Amino acid sequence: QVQLVESGGGLLQAGDSLRLSCHGSGRTFNDFIMGWFRQHPGKEREFVAVTTWNGGRSQYADAVQGRFTISRDNAKSMVYLQMNSLKPEDTAVYYCAAKFPGHILVAEPIGYNYWGQGTQVTVTV
């Protein structure tokens, strides 16, 4: 089992920056790829970003490419999502997720084994 806990959400204005954090426990953190997903009210959960076990490769959704950066610190069992130039359409609940094995990038939510509880990000105009 892996337990994931997100933190860092909040209420911001358009153009602001925010860093989300996710701490993992229970299994060797670098066994997994780590992804960030988000869910808008009334919509399906969607892919935001994912990174391999060592952060060597990453993939981003088109909507966040160039604005968001995913990173990880395996020594601390942490994965981060740096979000810059936030827009109102970034408003959502953000989830981190883990999937084994750690070297194959996966963007579909259904493929992930473990999920955090989510953290709310609200961006106003």
Side-chain angles (χ1 to χ4, degrees):
Q1 287 286 344
V2 174
Q3 292 77 44
L4 300 173
V5 179
E6 303 96 338
S7 60
L11 176 63
L12 304 103
Q13 293 185 322
D16 284 350
S17 296
L18 184 69
R19 189 177 79 160
L20 302 182
S21 301
C22 173
H23 179 257
S25 61
R27 280 190 59 176
T28 303
F29 192 70
N30 58 11
D31 281 348
F32 301 89
I33 60 169
M34 294 300 300
W36 284 97
F37 295 81
R38 66 187 182 186
Q39 190 164 16
H40 303 282
K43 296 190 176 181
E44 297 289 321
R45 196 166 297 185
E46 65 179 25
F47 166 71
V48 175
V50 60
T51 190
T52 49
W53 70 276
N54 62 351
R57 289 183 293 126
S58 298
Q59 181 179 339
Y60 297 90
D62 290 344
V64 307
Q65 181 77 48
R67 299 188 297 123
F68 291 11
T69 303
I70 188 171
S71 62
R72 65 190 295 166
D73 183 342
N74 287 337
K76 297 180 179 179
S77 298
M78 297 290 294
V79 62
Y80 306 100
L81 185 68
Q82 177 66 43
M83 304 186 293
N84 298 329
S85 302
L86 282 162
K87 304 175 181 180
E89 50 263 45
D90 294 319
T91 295
V93 177
Y94 284 73
Y95 300 88
C96 69
K99 183 185 182 308
F100 180 85
H103 63 284
I104 302 174
L105 294 175
V106 174
E108 294 80 15
I110 194 170
Y112 282 73
N113 307 105
Y114 303 103
W115 292 85
Q117 82 289 351
T119 186
Q120 176 71 46
V121 174
T122 302
V123 183
T124 62
V125 296

